[in-house]
Amino acid sequence: MRKYILAIDQGTTSTRAVFINKEGDIIYKAQRPINCLFPQPGWVEVDAERILISVNDVIGELLVLSDSSMEEVAAIGITNQRETTVIWDKKTGKPVHNAIVWQSKQTQGLCDERADKMEFIQAKTGLRMNPYFSASKIRYILDHIENGQERAERGELLFGTIDSWLIYRLTKGQVHATDVSNASRTMLFNINTLQWDEDLLALMGIPRSMMPEVRSSSEVYGYTKTTLFAHEVPIAGIAG
């Protein structure tokens, strides 16, 4: 019997998850801390694999607390820290660099180089050029891994905010998607056309093939495929 909704909240300093019943009440909850890394003053990174592990941990704890199985979960919803950037190998699913967290300032120089494009960017995205957003973080990672640009252009690398990263791994690479609330904070999404903007991608030198499919915040994106889930469960909500 499907009696719970699993809600996952992947935040900057912790991952939380709850089981919600049909009446909308939180019945069980679990939480795991996330350790951020600070390579230099003002820089903030995190091991994306540790984020995935924390998600698996809180789900496992909910199953123990509720004495239930994933067969009793009707659907999964994910809410996440926005702008935090992960790039991973399309074939293996493994990150190629630490995730760069939203508040990191390590890409300020990349933004300064494009300061003359401020109005152009704002007209398309509603955002002002800032290292806060994902675009410069993608550029930074491609510049700081071996053959990053070449690999990206060959279609070997994928980008995602945390929602995309988790969905890709939970579906064993079958779904590479995000929602509009996350896409709109990348500084690469045209809020007038509701599509990835080719001019902005070109400005940052980011291949279109890296980008996830943008979908609504409430629909079935795919189904869990990992060994943690004995039964396939639909992932049916994303909100940044």
Side-chain angles (χ1 to χ4, degrees), residues 19 58-70 73 228:
F19 272 169
V58 291
I59 293 171
E61 183 172 337
L62 290 179
L63 294 176
V64 171
L65 291 172
S66 62
D67 191 25
S68 59
S69 72
M70 291 307 295
V73 176
L228 177 65

Side-chain angles (χ1 to χ4, degrees), residues 6 19 81 83-84 93-94 126 145-146 158 183 204 225 235:
L6 167 60
F19 272 169
Q81 50 177 309
E83 299 95 15
T84 295
K94 295 293 186 180
I145 61 172
E146 187 174 358
L158 298 178
M204 302 304 295
K225 301 291 184 182
I235 302 172

Side-chain angles (χ1 to χ4, degrees), residues 7 30 41-42 51 69 74 87 126 143 161 163 167 170 188 213 218 221:
I51 289 178
S69 72
I87 296 180
D143 289 342
T161 43
D163 56 307
I167 291 171
L170 292 175
L188 297 167
E213 179 185 2
S218 180
Y221 311 98

Side-chain angles (χ1 to χ4, degrees), residues 193-209:
T193 64
L194 299 184
Q195 295 178 345
W196 298 119
D197 190 275
E198 296 296 340
D199 292 335
L200 296 176
L201 290 168
L203 177 65
M204 302 304 295
I206 298 169
R208 174 66 178 80
S209 60

Side-chain angles (χ1 to χ4, degrees), residues 12-23:
T12 309
T13 58
S14 72
T15 297
R16 295 176 291 179
V18 297
F19 272 169
I20 301 170
N21 66 13
K22 291 182 178 180
E23 288 71 42

